[in-house]
Amino acid sequence: KFQEEYHLPYPLLSDPEKKVCKQFGMTTFGMVSRGVVIIGPEGTVRKIEKVLPIFRPSAERIREMLREVDLDQRNPAPPTS
């Protein structure tokens, strides 16, 4: 529903049993940690960033992370020479 409402062009994951969170190390003291896991189109984990539970990654930080792994289609990283 969230994905449809915001017209996101990528899948989101709901993990109420915390199985995937545990696999990616996104739990602290048995509680789910906030963070971002970026999985590339080939299915490999490109980046994991965990943040303190009281914070959430900003939209700008997520865009930076996508650029870092060259997956931001709207603002691609500048070519390196």
Side-chain angles (χ1 to χ4, degrees):
K1 192 172 183 177
F2 183 88
Q3 180 183 3
E4 292 171 10
E5 183 178 336
Y6 290 97
H7 309 287
L8 300 175
Y10 45 81
L12 298 177
L13 171 72
S14 176
D15 186 24
E17 296 176 12
K18 304 177 192 172
K19 291 179 182 178
V20 177
C21 290
K22 290 175 184 173
Q23 290 176 340
F24 286 109
M26 298 299 282
T27 58
T28 304
F29 304 114
M31 298 176 61
V32 174
S33 299
R34 289 189 184 225
V36 177
V37 178
I38 298 175
I39 301 172
E42 69 287 345
T44 60
V45 175
R46 304 287 286 281
K47 189 162 191 77
I48 296 177
E49 185 169 297
K50 191 167 149 180
V51 298
L52 294 173
I54 59 172
F55 298 108
R56 73 176 56 179
S58 68
E60 181 54 37
R61 178 61 193 133
I62 293 170
R63 280 192 292 272
E64 286 175 21
M65 291 172 65
L66 289 168
R67 281 192 296 269
E68 289 169 9
V69 296
D70 200 28
L71 290 175
D72 184 358
Q73 310 238 336
R74 286 186 256 172
N75 297 301
T80 56
S81 47

